[in-house]
Amino acid sequence: QQRLAAIGALSASIAHEIRNPLAAISGAIQVLQRGGIGSDVEPERLMQIVVREVDRLNGLITDFLGYARPAPLEREPVPLRPLVDDVLRMLSVGEGEGLEVESRIEPELVVYADPARLRQVLWNLVNNAAEAMPEGGRLRVEARQVAAAQERDSGDRMESLAASTAKPGWAEICVLDQGAGIEPEIAERMFDPFFTTKRDGSGLGLPTVHRIVEEHGGSIRIEPGAPPWATAVRIRLPLGEGAP
């Protein structure tokens, strides 16, 4: 019953997300069919709306397939410092002025992960952090070695811990930002498929991040940051070969 209820809720969310662009496409085509009668919008603008909404549908389906049908993991020892530096370098180029980016990664820290998926996780998190600071601010990525996995708190929707035997220790990656912060009731839903606070978001970014982390036998949680930080997203992944 729980699985059927989850499928029903997911199906309703998909239908809702698809219905909106379809309505925009249908409306634009109907106006074009009438030759623009009753509308002050130029035909070229209407065609732009159709193309934009078709692209939006394609992006939604692409994101959903990536969430629902992930490719098998190809795990290997991944040094964290060069990977984080590369992701932050790409972010700095795209965001321009106003954003201060920094990292504090323990030297020689290695995780056992799929490098492409880990890059996807980090890019999603730092991009979200940057978008939370439209007027600019500081963004930091920290990573350190921590002790063995904690006990799972079954009542905490923000954290999902899974046992792993890859290594007796863990690497904790933390993405910190100085945005407006996240209300607890919002944070509880951030990993729900299709839930988003962004105007043009698909609501599949963080659920995909959550799924990738769980597939690695790791954990992820969202919590208030200690000053001067507003929000902290913490990930734990198994250590890889070469870790201290």
Side-chain angles (χ1 to χ4, degrees):
Q1 289 178 343
Q2 290 178 342
R3 289 179 179 177
L4 288 174
I7 292 172
L10 184 60
S11 300
S13 298
I14 295 172
H16 174 75
E17 293 297 327
I18 292 177
R19 185 177 291 118
N20 290 335
L22 284 179
I25 292 170
S26 176
I29 291 176
Q30 289 177 29
V31 174
L32 287 171
Q33 286 178 328
R34 296 196 303 265
I37 299 174
S39 173
D40 57 356
V41 182
E42 296 180 357
E44 291 184 3
R45 174 57 179 161
L46 293 171
M47 287 186 285
Q48 289 175 358
I49 291 174
V50 172
V51 173
R52 181 194 67 198
E53 295 303 315
V54 168
D55 289 342
R56 179 180 170 189
L57 280 172
N58 184 58
L60 174 65
I61 293 171
T62 300
D63 290 345
F64 178 69
L65 289 176
Y67 171 74
R69 294 192 312 183
L73 296 178
E74 298 182 2
R75 288 191 277 192
E76 61 185 65
V78 180
L80 270 179
R81 176 174 283 182
L83 182 62
V84 170
D85 287 346
D86 187 41
V87 170
L88 292 181
R89 191 177 302 111
M90 290 190 300
L91 181 71
S92 299
V93 171
E95 292 297 325
E97 299 180 358
L99 182 67
E100 298 180 29
V101 176
E102 58 190 64
S103 65
R104 294 186 178 181
I105 314 297
E106 286 187 355
E108 310 304 326
L109 190 58
V110 178
V111 295
Y112 187 60
D114 183 317
R117 299 293 182 80
L118 182 55
R119 181 183 297 272
Q120 180 182 355
V121 166
L122 291 173
W123 173 254
N124 192 295
L125 294 181
V126 299
N127 193 53
N128 283 350
E131 290 179 350
M133 301 181 290
E135 305 300 324
R138 290 172 61 199
L139 185 158
R140 177 188 293 173
V141 179
E142 300 177 346
R144 63 191 180 94
Q145 183 174 342
V146 295
Q150 302 173 354
E151 294 292 330
R152 177 171 181 170
D153 182 359
S154 59
D156 188 352
R157 288 290 308 280
M158 293 183 291
E159 183 170 11
S160 176
L161 294 174
S164 174
T165 58
K167 274 284 181 178
W170 297 78
E172 182 177 81
I173 306 170
C174 186
V175 179
L176 303 154
D177 69 67
Q178 294 181 319
I182 302 176
E183 297 295 329
E185 59 272 18
I186 299 296
E188 290 181 358
R189 301 189 59 192
M190 293 301 289
F191 299 128
D192 292 346
F194 296 107
F195 176 81
T196 181
T197 58
K198 301 177 183 179
R199 180 179 178 182
D200 298 322
S202 67
L204 289 171
L206 283 177
T208 300
V209 165
H210 183 270
R211 178 185 51 72
I212 292 173
V213 172
E214 280 201 324
E215 287 178 343
H216 281 83
S219 69
I220 181 170
R221 67 181 186 270
I222 302 174
E223 61 188 26
W229 310 109
T231 304
V233 182
R234 298 186 185 277
I235 296 174
R236 286 196 175 188
L237 294 172
L239 287 175
E241 296 178 3

